[in-house]
Amino acid sequence: KNIVSRICTECHGPEEITSLKRTPDQWRRLVTDMLDRRETRASEAEKTLILDYLIAHFSRTSQEDKR
């Protein structure tokens, strides 16, 4: 949680990050895009921690899309 707050909230507030549930694949694409496009300084280890946290706490399954 701390690393998400430190790195991700450089550009947006926490509610923007967590307001929409995403599938794990969507989180991976989004985080990779944000870190690449914004030239945010984050190591691969930090990226992994960010993804692990977001996927664990703010994910939905692709099955939920079909409802």
Side-chain angles (χ1 to χ4, degrees):
K1 181 177 182 178
N2 290 336
I3 196 153
V4 171
S5 293
R6 182 173 58 82
I7 292 176
C8 301
T9 59
E10 286 180 13
C11 298
H12 17 164
E15 63 284 340
E16 188 175 347
I17 298 166
T18 60
S19 63
L20 295 174
K21 301 286 188 186
R22 293 174 169 86
T23 65
D25 285 339
Q26 288 171 328
W27 277 120
R28 286 183 197 96
R29 286 192 302 270
L30 181 67
V31 169
T32 298
D33 180 56
M34 289 292 128
L35 293 176
D36 290 347
R37 192 168 46 145
R38 305 282 184 203
E39 297 181 16
T40 303
R41 296 179 191 264
S43 68
E44 283 300 313
E46 290 171 322
K47 178 180 173 181
T48 298
L49 290 172
I50 291 167
L51 284 169
D52 288 349
Y53 177 78
L54 293 173
I55 290 169
H57 297 282
F58 304 104
S59 281
R60 61 181 165 80
T61 65
S62 58
Q63 292 295 354
E64 290 175 307
D65 291 340
K66 296 176 182 173
R67 290 183 197 169

